[in-house]
Amino acid sequence: MYHPAKKNHLAIFTLFLLIVSYSLLSCSDSVPKINSVNQSVIMDFSDEQSPAVVSLSVFIQSDSEVRKIDSLTLTNVNSSLSWTSRTIELLQGKNNKFWAGYSNFKAVQGNFFPQGRYTVLIEDKAGNESESSFILNIPEEIKKGDLKSIRAYLSGNSVQFLKNIAIYDGENNLLFLGEENENFSTDEQFIKKYPEGVKKRPVYLVNGGTVTILFPSEEINNQSSES
């Protein structure tokens, strides 16, 4: 059974942030100020029958130094459930925007993440803190967590989403993640650009990018190797 590596969750995040690189900055004396928060529920379907593995990716954006962040804590205001990560992922996007966060928070006991307001607290090694918040509001059809419900939801005329395609090699390394379009939508086009690719995976960004749905992977039909 094919299971994409954990690093692919981070690759999904880079898609809608347009991350290009990460570079070191000079140190500052205080914890970075949070300018904004970007969050996405990630639903990872390994096959057609199994329920999705659900995780939550949360990153804060700052114009200043982010290497000093030591921990990031999420708290759902209504339930008081809390998650803390000391594994901080650092990214740099366009226009000198810097991001720090964690892409693999897990729901409690396999349940879906509670809806409503979350606080986001970052802390540096000296104990300095900065706080912001976001609201998680996921459509009920998606919260059901099965492919049938999600496919029916995505087929609705009023639903807006961005469809992407992920291409993997034989060792499950991500070769490409980007928008599927008329010039890049067939196995022949995939193989022409990524001849080492053996698997493809539809990836949908839904609900304004607050939900990322990874559909089960499929074999790429390499006709040249079969002839």
Side-chain angles (χ1 to χ4, degrees):
M1 185 179 297
Y2 171 66
H3 293 280
K6 174 183 172 183
K7 64 183 179 181
N8 291 336
H9 291 304
L10 186 57
I12 298 300
F13 179 72
T14 64
L15 174 66
F16 51 82
L17 287 185
L18 301 177
I19 298 302
V20 293
S21 66
Y22 174 72
S23 61
L24 301 181
L25 302 178
S26 59
C27 292
S28 58
D29 295 329
S30 61
V31 69
K33 177 183 177 182
I34 300 176
N35 295 338
S36 63
V37 180
N38 192 302
Q39 78 283 347
S40 184
V41 172
I42 300 171
M43 304 187 68
D44 186 349
F45 288 94
S46 60
D47 55 53
E48 293 289 334
Q49 291 75 38
S50 303
V53 175
V54 181
S55 58
L56 180 61
S57 170
V58 178
F59 281 73
I60 64 95
Q61 186 269 317
S62 177
D63 295 329
S64 58
E65 175 63 78
V66 293
R67 287 182 301 162
K68 295 178 62 122
I69 298 175
D70 185 54
S71 66
L72 186 151
T73 299
L74 305 180
T75 302
N76 177 259
V77 174
N78 294 332
S79 67
S80 297
L81 289 174
S82 184
W83 296 258
T84 297
S85 176
R86 295 188 181 277
T87 302
I88 305 300
E89 296 162 357
L90 305 174
L91 303 166
Q92 178 181 338
K94 287 187 174 182
N95 302 320
N96 209 34
K97 302 296 184 182
F98 297 91
W99 299 83
Y102 185 58
S103 59
N104 202 28
F105 289 105
K106 294 298 184 184
V108 176
Q109 296 180 344
N111 296 323
F112 210 90
F113 287 91
Q115 305 298 283
R117 183 174 296 277
Y118 284 73
T119 60
V120 182
L121 178 70
I122 59 174
E123 183 176 354
D124 66 11
K125 297 182 186 302
N128 300 309
E129 298 179 344
S130 183
E131 185 175 284
S132 186
S133 66
F134 66 88
I135 295 177
L136 193 65
N137 184 18
I138 306 300
E140 288 297 325
E141 294 85 349
I142 291 179
K143 288 167 60 179
K144 291 179 180 178
D146 64 272
L147 277 174
K148 182 178 179 180
S149 298
I150 288 175
R151 285 195 170 104
Y153 174 75
L154 293 177
S155 65
N157 294 330
S158 62
V159 178
Q160 295 184 345
F161 57 81
L162 177 65
K163 183 181 180 181
N164 300 276
I165 192 74
I167 306 295
Y168 299 88
D169 66 15
E171 297 182 351
N172 296 340
N173 295 311
L174 182 66
L175 303 176
F176 171 81
L177 176 61
E179 185 176 356
E180 183 179 279
N181 54 54
E182 60 182 11
N183 298 316
F184 194 70
S185 61
T186 67
D187 286 359
E188 182 180 3
Q189 291 168 331
F190 298 155
I191 288 296
K192 184 176 181 180
K193 191 166 185 179
Y194 299 96
E196 65 273 41
V198 299
K199 292 181 183 293
K200 60 184 177 182
R201 200 172 196 199
V203 180
Y204 290 83
L205 300 183
V206 188
N207 204 38
T210 60
V211 181
T212 302
I213 304 173
L214 291 84
F215 276 50
S217 63
E218 307 168 13
E219 298 289 336
I220 294 177
N221 182 18
N222 190 342
Q223 294 179 347
S224 61
S225 64
E226 297 173 353
S227 58

